[in-house]
């Protein structure tokens, strides 16, 4: 079973994402901010990270840059999932090593399409 | 709605668009036409039917047909046909057309434009290999409303997130308010025009590639066979036809046949050739 780490400071978003991803046969774990997510990745590298941008402690962008420096940190497919819905943010995310980008609000079809796009569904 | 009104609407829609509405589609007909009746100032669906029966209101007739069409589409839908076209069909066509350096592609049910624009993006990414080539992409649809949206090339955030890789969104779209608009150079590559698949295809000319996906499924067997036969005559002998993933030509005449190796691809039967046993 593939493992996806959902990183979002909103418990509601984490719950919705968990439901969608579990229906797509992912094992899901959660983190509330980038720092917590980085700790989880150090322990066990997931196949995918669904990543919010704006979070307390460490935001998604800083997390992504740090993740890509970790041993094996180039492997997870990182899909941003954020309300930062402008070209500048998307370009910045791609430059930092994001694989896909979901603009909130999202639905099951979009999540499935994006995970298909990165080859995990 | 009375049986007589339902029967009238079924016959009307079928005669103008080919859409085959079976009795179990009664809910669909009501749910699509009730709002139209209201916006047009008819108190009931029956009143709209009387207006259609009176005749002489072409605009209302078109609106009824458009309300019954399904415009579901998204960028790079089903992915495989686009990969097959790029990897298997295009190299062969580029070789075969090296003299004329000209290709014609027809999206026969272009809807709001995502399919022809997906093709335009795919061709643009082929870069140098198509330098100096004239590639015409024709997108037709029965729905003039859908074609208006297609020409504008404006899509919602939901629409650009279904099937479109993020790199292509950044490369080919600009943000216009809360919508995304496809680049002018791609809009210029696609010609959109209204066209009814019940009409004669010959004025459209011959095509190297035809996409006619997820439209035949709305027609009855006789019309499917008729359209396939006519499509077969508009495709160059070495050209091909893409149908939807759930569509087939089996039992629908012999003008087109399955490609021997490529799934979802159909080719015109060679004139004078006999079917292999």
């Amino acid at each position: 079973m593939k493992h996806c780490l959902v990183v979002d400071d909103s418990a509601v978003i984490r719950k919705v994402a968990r439901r969608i991803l579990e229906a797509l046969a992912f094992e899901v774990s959660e983190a509330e901010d980038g720092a917590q997510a980085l700790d989880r990745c150090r322990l066990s590298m997931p196949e995918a990270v669904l990543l919010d941008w704006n979070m307390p402690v460490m935001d998604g962008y800083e997390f992504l840059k740090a993740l890509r420096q970790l041993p094996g940190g180039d492997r997870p497919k990182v899909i941003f999932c954020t309300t930062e819905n402008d070209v500048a943010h998307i370009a910045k995310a791609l430059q930092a090593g994001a694989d896909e980008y979901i603009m909130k609000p999202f639905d099951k079809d979009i999540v499935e399409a994006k995970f298909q796009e990165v080859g995990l569904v | 709605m009375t049986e007589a009104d339902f029967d009238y609407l079924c016959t009307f829609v079928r005669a103008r668009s080919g859409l085959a509405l079976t009795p179990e589609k009664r809910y669909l007909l009501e749910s699509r036409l009730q709002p139209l009746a209201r916006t047009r100032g008819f108190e009931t669906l029956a009143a709209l039917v009387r207006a259609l029966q009176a005749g002489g209101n072409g605009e209302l007739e078109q609106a009824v047909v458009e309300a019954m069409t399904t415009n579901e589409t998204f960028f790079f839908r089903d992915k495989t046909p686009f990969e097959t076209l790029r990897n298997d069909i295009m190299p062969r066509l580029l070789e075969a057309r090296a003299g004329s350096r000209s290709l014609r592609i027809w999206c026969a049910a272009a809807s709001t434009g995502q399919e022809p624009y997906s093709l335009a993006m795919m061709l643009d990414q082929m870069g140098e290999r198509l330098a100096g080539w004239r590639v015409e992409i024709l997108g037709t649809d029965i729905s003039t409303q859908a074609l208006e949206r297609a020409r504008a090339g404006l899509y919602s955030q939901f629409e650009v997130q279904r099937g479109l890789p993020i790199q292509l969104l950044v490369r080919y779209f600009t943000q216009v308010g809360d919508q995304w608009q496809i680049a002018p150079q791609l809009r210029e590559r696609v010609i959109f025009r209204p066209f009814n698949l019940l009409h004669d295809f010959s004025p459209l000319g011959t095509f190297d590639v035809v996409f006619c996906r997820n439209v035949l499924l709305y027609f009855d067997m006789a019309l499917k066979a008729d359209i396939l036969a006519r499509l077969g005559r508009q495709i160059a002998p070495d050209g091909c036809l893409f149908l939807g993933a759930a569509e087939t030509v089996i039992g629908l005449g012999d003008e087109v046949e399955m490609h021997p190796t490529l799934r979802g691809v159909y080719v015109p039967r060679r004139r004078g050739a006999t079917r292999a046993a």
Side-chain angles (χ1 to χ4, degrees), chain B residues 2 26 62 89 137 145 154 156 185 268:
Chain B
T2 64
R26 192 187 182 103
Q62 175 68 14
I89 306 288
I137 304 173
Q145 283 175 5
L154 268 172
S156 72
Q185 72 269 22

Side-chain angles (χ1 to χ4, degrees), chain B residues 22-143:
Chain B
T22 47
E24 63 269 24
K25 292 288 164 107
R26 192 187 182 103
Y27 76 95
L28 182 74
L29 197 134
E30 286 179 339
S31 67
R32 299 261 182 101
L33 295 187
Q34 291 279 15
L36 177 72
R38 272 196 299 276
T39 56
R40 299 284 168 144
F42 297 106
E43 284 192 10
T44 61
L45 201 46
L48 182 143
V49 172
R50 300 291 91 75
L52 287 176
Q53 287 169 332
N57 191 341
E59 202 259 329
L60 179 67
E61 291 173 6
Q62 175 68 14
V64 168
V65 170
E66 295 212 4
M68 292 313 302
T69 60
T70 298
N71 295 319
E72 165 74 359
T73 180
F74 48 94
F75 290 103
F76 295 100
R77 185 175 188 177
D78 301 333
K79 238 178 177 179
T80 311
F82 298 92
E83 290 170 356
T84 302
L85 178 62
R86 186 188 59 218
N87 301 332
D88 300 299
I89 306 288
M90 285 301 286
R92 192 173 47 74
L93 281 176
L94 291 184
E95 204 180 313
R97 305 286 184 276
S100 66
R101 295 170 81 84
S102 171
L103 285 172
R104 297 190 77 219
I105 302 174
W106 178 23
C107 292
S111 185
T112 43
Q114 284 90 328
E115 184 179 82
Y117 286 138
S118 297
L119 290 169
M121 285 185 265
M122 188 203 89
L123 295 172
D124 190 69
Q125 291 193 299
M126 291 181 68
E128 278 304 300
R129 277 181 289 169
L130 281 172
W133 282 69
R134 201 176 70 82
V135 183
E136 180 188 335
I137 304 173
L138 174 67
T140 65
D141 202 276
I142 194 170
S143 169

Side-chain angles (χ1 to χ4, degrees), chain B residues 15-274:
Chain B
R16 278 162 179 77
S17 67
L19 291 177
L21 294 164
T22 47
E24 63 269 24
K25 292 288 164 107
R26 192 187 182 103
Y27 76 95
L28 182 74
L29 197 134
E30 286 179 339
S31 67
R32 299 261 182 101
L33 295 187
Q34 291 279 15
L36 177 72
R38 272 196 299 276
T39 56
R40 299 284 168 144
F42 297 106
E43 284 192 10
T44 61
L45 201 46
L48 182 143
V49 172
R50 300 291 91 75
L52 287 176
Q53 287 169 332
N57 191 341
E59 202 259 329
L60 179 67
E61 291 173 6
Q62 175 68 14
V64 168
V65 170
E66 295 212 4
M68 292 313 302
T69 60
T70 298
N71 295 319
E72 165 74 359
T73 180
F74 48 94
F75 290 103
F76 295 100
R77 185 175 188 177
D78 301 333
K79 238 178 177 179
T80 311
F82 298 92
E83 290 170 356
T84 302
L85 178 62
R86 186 188 59 218
N87 301 332
D88 300 299
I89 306 288
M90 285 301 286
R92 192 173 47 74
L93 281 176
L94 291 184
E95 204 180 313
R97 305 286 184 276
S100 66
R101 295 170 81 84
S102 171
L103 285 172
R104 297 190 77 219
I105 302 174
W106 178 23
C107 292
S111 185
T112 43
Q114 284 90 328
E115 184 179 82
Y117 286 138
S118 297
L119 290 169
M121 285 185 265
M122 188 203 89
L123 295 172
D124 190 69
Q125 291 193 299
M126 291 181 68
E128 278 304 300
R129 277 181 289 169
L130 281 172
W133 282 69
R134 201 176 70 82
V135 183
E136 180 188 335
I137 304 173
L138 174 67
T140 65
D141 202 276
I142 194 170
S143 169
T144 52
Q145 283 175 5
L147 289 175
E148 258 177 57
R149 286 204 56 215
R151 282 191 196 98
L154 268 172
Y155 298 98
S156 72
Q157 193 169 286
F158 274 92
E159 288 170 317
V160 296
Q161 296 199 88
R162 290 182 71 196
L164 187 65
I166 196 68
Q167 289 83 358
L168 297 189
L169 179 73
V170 173
R171 182 166 172 186
Y172 292 117
F173 288 76
T174 50
Q175 220 166 355
V176 181
D178 58 357
Q179 293 192 297
W180 295 79
Q181 187 165 38
I182 196 149
Q185 72 269 22
L186 293 191
R187 290 212 303 280
E188 285 162 12
R189 276 195 174 192
V190 184
I191 300 160
F192 290 104
R193 57 180 277 197
F195 187 77
N196 188 331
L197 292 174
L198 297 181
H199 295 166
D200 180 12
F201 296 165
S202 55
L204 301 176
T206 302
F207 295 91
D208 302 294
V209 177
V210 175
F211 273 59
C212 185
R213 301 192 305 146
N214 306 304
V215 59
L216 295 183
L217 55 95
Y218 296 106
F219 302 147
D220 63 27
M221 294 289 275
L223 184 56
K224 281 179 194 175
D226 170 54
I227 290 176
L228 282 171
R230 291 187 290 120
L231 280 175
R233 294 194 283 272
Q234 297 310 123
I235 299 172
D238 57 352
C240 68
L241 165 70
F242 287 85
L243 296 179
E247 292 169 326
T248 177
V249 299
I250 296 169
L252 295 171
D254 57 8
E255 281 288 334
V256 294
E257 60 187 356
M258 278 186 269
H259 189 283
T261 55
L262 301 173
R263 198 179 151 86
V265 181
Y266 300 84
V267 292
R269 182 178 295 276
R270 278 197 193 169
R271 314 290 182 252
T274 51

